[in-house]
Amino acid sequence: GHSYHVNATIAQLQSSAKYKLLGALLVSIVLAIVIFKFANNMIVQPISRVTDNLRELASGSGDLTARLGGENQNTEVGRLSLAFNVFVEKLQHLIGQAQQSNKSLTEASVQITQSIDQTAKGIEVQFSEISHVVSAVGQISTMLDKVVDAAVQASDASIQATNTTGAGNNVGASAQQGVDEVVKEVDK
């Protein structure tokens, strides 16, 4: 009798232990699933989003307006997201400044090119005007040479005329003297 009762108690304890172990196993599985879901939502997915955004930026096609959000700032992943957002914002600002500098340099280059073109046109106009002045000076020089030649010819002609007039005056004076002598002779 007594061993039957001990065997029944052992069987009952074994059965109870099996149910408790099965229950603990089921609770452990459910708890593992809950922990996995929690870890996936709180750790893996946020890290995956940060990784994807970093990969997109590294490939050169990154959207610098994209920000990570919705993360708990008290977690490491939340602080990583915040740091990422600050980094991307600064990077966006620097690239904006670089683009503005590039635009300013392009505008300055265009202005310098226009100034060079205007200066070149001004030089062409001045060269043309200088060429006209040189041509006019050449024409004036040619005219002055002709005036000098004409003045020399006029001087020569004047000298000849003076000489001719002097000879004519001498002839006239001799003729007058001859007439005066004839008159004197006639008067005698």
Side-chain angles (χ1 to χ4, degrees), residues 75-155:
T75 65
E76 288 299 319
V77 174
R79 287 192 289 273
L80 175 64
S81 295
L82 178 64
F84 174 82
N85 289 343
V86 169
F87 170 74
V88 171
E89 188 173 322
K90 287 182 180 180
L91 187 62
Q92 183 181 14
H93 180 71
L94 288 173
I95 289 174
Q97 285 180 329
Q99 288 172 334
Q100 183 60 38
S101 295
N102 186 34
K103 181 180 176 189
S104 297
L105 286 174
T106 301
E107 289 171 356
S109 174
V110 166
Q111 289 176 350
I112 289 170
T113 301
Q114 289 172 346
S115 294
I116 290 171
D117 288 345
Q118 289 175 350
T119 302
K121 288 177 184 174
I123 290 171
E124 286 177 20
V125 167
Q126 287 179 351
F127 182 74
S128 175
E129 289 174 359
I130 289 171
S131 294
H132 290 306
V133 168
V134 167
S135 176
V137 167
Q139 290 174 354
I140 290 171
S141 175
T142 301
M143 285 184 204
L144 286 177
D145 287 343
K146 289 180 182 178
V147 167
V148 167
D149 287 345
V152 167
Q153 288 175 358
S155 174

Side-chain angles (χ1 to χ4, degrees), residues 10-26:
I10 290 176
Q12 191 180 20
L13 285 174
Q14 284 179 340
S15 176
S16 174
K18 283 181 187 177
Y19 287 123
K20 285 182 182 177
L21 279 175
L22 189 58
L25 181 62
L26 287 174

